Amino acid sequence: MMVGSGAQLFEISATAEEEAYRHLHSALRLGRYRAGDRLIPEDIAAEIGMSRMPVREAFRRLAADGLVVIRPNRGCIVAGLTLDEIYETFEIRSVLEGLAVRLAMPHIDAEVIAELERLLDRMERAGISGSSDWVARHHEFHATIYGLSGRPKLMKQIAALHVTIEPYLRIWFDYVEKPLSAREEHSSLIEALRTGDAAFAETAMQKHILGTAPMLAEFASPDRR
């Protein structure tokens, strides 16, 4: 199959279904579609230059991820989170990322701490400039930590939760002044990692994630409870 360039570059071995899945996954993560939007397979197929069948197969994969809902007579609808579901997502994240931190601690050294501090600087610059890249840099910071857990299934589950919540983080970013508070919160996480105390670092991560939920919920889906 033909291979695109830039952000649309896919591996030669990728199938049309995989291409459609990645395209839609990225669009949903970036908030291009809102909760309740109907995804029209013909329109999406025309947009990325393929037939409808791979797009429909991609819909099924996205439904399994919990990102869309396939309903009789309505087709594929972008899933949304109620306020209770937002809280639940953060509760699950806190447990899984806390576990990931505990498992990652033997691999946290001066080099990792330095990299996290560089990522925090990038996050702060993005926030001050008003760039939506703040959300991407935020995920990169967390992924660097949980990626050291050495548990592929755990990492996959955490990454899926980040995808689910990312559109809401982008909404939050549009309304809340975060760079200074985010700097303090994530600096505290780095300091917890620097202690080498796995239990302390696990608790610090859990508190950090749970503390974000009420602030995010205030701005996300207020009429969907």
Side-chain angles (χ1 to χ4, degrees):
M1 64 183 291
M2 294 295 292
V3 180
S5 61
Q8 298 300 315
L9 184 61
F10 297 98
E11 296 179 359
I12 295 176
S13 61
T15 63
E17 177 191 329
E18 182 69 18
E19 183 175 342
Y21 174 80
R22 293 184 188 182
H23 174 85
L24 288 166
H25 192 279
S26 176
L28 291 166
R29 180 175 58 83
L30 296 175
R32 179 178 168 189
Y33 301 108
R34 300 290 186 180
D37 283 354
R38 184 183 175 198
L39 300 180
I40 310 298
E42 292 82 2
D43 293 348
I44 294 167
E47 182 180 341
I48 54 181
M50 63 175 59
S51 67
R52 289 176 298 172
M53 186 58 68
V55 174
R56 291 185 183 279
E57 291 301 319
F59 285 172
R60 293 189 179 92
R61 288 180 61 183
L62 292 167
D65 293 341
L67 297 176
V68 302
V69 177
I70 299 176
R71 295 176 178 169
N73 304 320
R74 287 198 65 193
C76 184
I77 307 298
V78 177
L81 297 176
T82 65
L83 294 184
D84 286 341
E85 288 168 340
I86 288 174
Y87 279 107
E88 183 180 8
T89 300
F90 276 88
E91 288 167 351
I92 297 170
R93 262 194 64 199
S94 71
V95 173
L96 296 185
E97 289 197 50
L99 171 61
V101 166
R102 175 153 47 89
L103 294 171
M105 285 303 288
H107 309 289
I108 302 291
D109 55 20
E111 185 177 346
V112 171
I113 295 295
E115 175 61 17
L116 290 172
E117 289 175 336
R118 285 192 290 270
L119 291 172
L120 184 53
D121 286 340
R122 292 175 200 160
M123 191 194 310
E124 184 177 33
R125 287 196 297 270
I128 292 173
S129 69
S131 169
S132 61
D133 281 348
W134 183 90
V135 178
R137 301 286 78 79
H138 175 265
H139 179 231
E140 190 176 3
F141 179 94
H142 280 263
T144 298
I145 298 172
Y146 70 69
L148 293 171
S149 68
R151 300 293 193 275
K153 290 184 178 179
L154 177 62
M155 289 186 280
K156 184 177 180 179
Q157 290 178 326
I158 295 172
L161 291 172
H162 275 268
V163 170
T164 300
I165 212 70
E166 184 168 334
Y168 297 89
L169 282 175
R170 291 182 182 276
I171 294 171
W172 186 45
F173 182 85
D174 289 339
Y175 287 91
V176 181
E177 190 80 20
K178 284 177 297 303
L180 293 178
S181 62
R183 177 90 198 189
E184 293 177 5
E185 293 164 11
H186 291 86
S187 290
S188 295
L189 282 177
I190 292 175
E191 290 308 308
L193 294 171
R194 203 191 300 270
T195 66
D197 185 330
F200 179 67
E202 179 177 9
T203 299
M205 178 62 80
Q206 290 176 336
K207 287 181 178 179
H208 165 66
I209 293 172
L210 290 174
T212 303
M215 294 183 286
L216 177 62
E218 183 180 352
F219 293 93
S221 301
D223 59 342
R224 292 182 57 81
R225 188 160 191 165

